[in-house]
Amino acid sequence: MAATKRVINFSPGPAKLPEDVLHKAQAEMIDYGGTGVSVMELSHRSSHFVKIIGSAEKNFRDLLHIPDNYRVIFTQGGGTGQFAAAPLNLMKLKEGATADYIITGSWSMKAAKEAEKYGTVNKVLPKLDKYTVIPDQAEWNLNPDASYVFYCANETIHGVEFHHVPDTHGVPIVCDMSSNILTRPIDISKFGVIFAGAQKNIGCAGTTVVIIRDDLIGHAIPECPSIFDYKTMVGNNSIYNTPPTYSIYIMGLVFEWVLHHGGVEIMEQRSHDKAKSLYNIINLSNGFYSCPIDPDCRSRMNVPFRVGSPDGDEALETKFIDEAASKGLMSLKGHRSVGGIRVSLYNAISVSDVHILTEFMRNFYLEQKGVILAQG
Ligand SMILES: *Cc1c(COP(=O)(O)O)cnc(C)c1O
């Protein structure tokens, strides 16, 4: 067999998984726990799979200290499916069928567009021409009669992250945590619904985890597809139809890995250290690297920046991406709507992975400065 090649994968998602998880899955691939079949070939109603999903849920609840009055489900349809599920289940909580959307980037904007199919969407923030800030709550236009308030905890494309939970004066919060779940402790009791697609921080593509407060179950509109109805999914312990069994299994392995590595408290520490060393090198580069995001809401997970000038020197950025790739530093190209570079720092990225990247960035900067000096 050829030697195994591994690179440092800074992809925004599907993203790097802990190598321990891949090795465990590899070891169990052909014969899962003495069953003689792989997890992919197990019946979703078999005792083995029921144990896999049960222990995934238990570990997830332990990691986030999820209170007893919240249910956890594993669904399909991704974060995008949940953009529809939220209004389908919650828009009619109140007569007016209106919902507040705090739009801080492309993902919350997409969520708002989906919700407009099912009710009236109130855009809470003053109009932003760029997604680089979260305006102070004093400037928000929250509607006290909204059925719920939606926000995205971390805008994966724009690199804007909430470092606090908004105060909605008792209106239930629906939060998209697709790209920062399990990276810090959270007070679940402040939320109505939290959802996250697995493929960024907690597993591979295919499943989406949803945390729902009991009193928000059972309010879906009659047209709501059964697979998106919280009540149906909760009532059947996520096995109403065939769930994405292998994706749930991988997610369970990631939960074990996070527990084994000290839980979300340690993930928070690591996230802080990784982001700090990257933002430091950007800040110390005299504008060679520039990140447009307000320092108060810079993401610890996705760090967008430009190279050469604040608007980006595209030729230099291509050179940066190519040279990085030649050193095994992969998937650094920014989203096409933003341009430049984006570094994603999910839980599976280690502190030393980030040090290798910052060393590269330092050398690239010095090399270019040398070129500029020589040309000058
Ligand atoms: C990736 C992402 C989504 C979309 O997830 P899909 O699983 O592709 O539907 C939604 N929200 C955020 C914050 C994301 O990062």
Side-chain angles (χ1 to χ4, degrees), residues 12-13 77-83 106-108 110-111 150 152-157 176-180 195-200 205-208 302 342 346:
T80 308
Q82 291 305 308
F83 291 168
S106 317
W107 288 116
S108 45
K110 262 192 140 166
F150 180 101
C152 176
N154 183 67
E155 287 284 356
T156 319
I157 293 173
D176 177 359
M177 291 195 190
S178 291
S179 51
N180 70 352
F195 64 84
Q199 72 272 24
K200 276 104 186 198
T207 194
T208 308
N302 310 95
R342 169 172 50 169
Y346 303 129

Side-chain angles (χ1 to χ4, degrees), residues 30 34 40 42-43 68 90 137 139 155 160 182 207 218 223 234-235 239 261 295 303 310 347-348 352 354-355 361 370:
I30 300 289
M40 279 177 266
L42 279 175
S43 162
D68 289 342
L90 303 175
Q137 190 161 342
E139 296 174 46
E155 287 284 356
V160 171
L182 294 190
T207 194
E223 297 83 358
V234 167
I239 315 186
H261 285 80
V303 180
N347 282 341
S352 74
V354 178
H355 282 161
M361 287 172 66

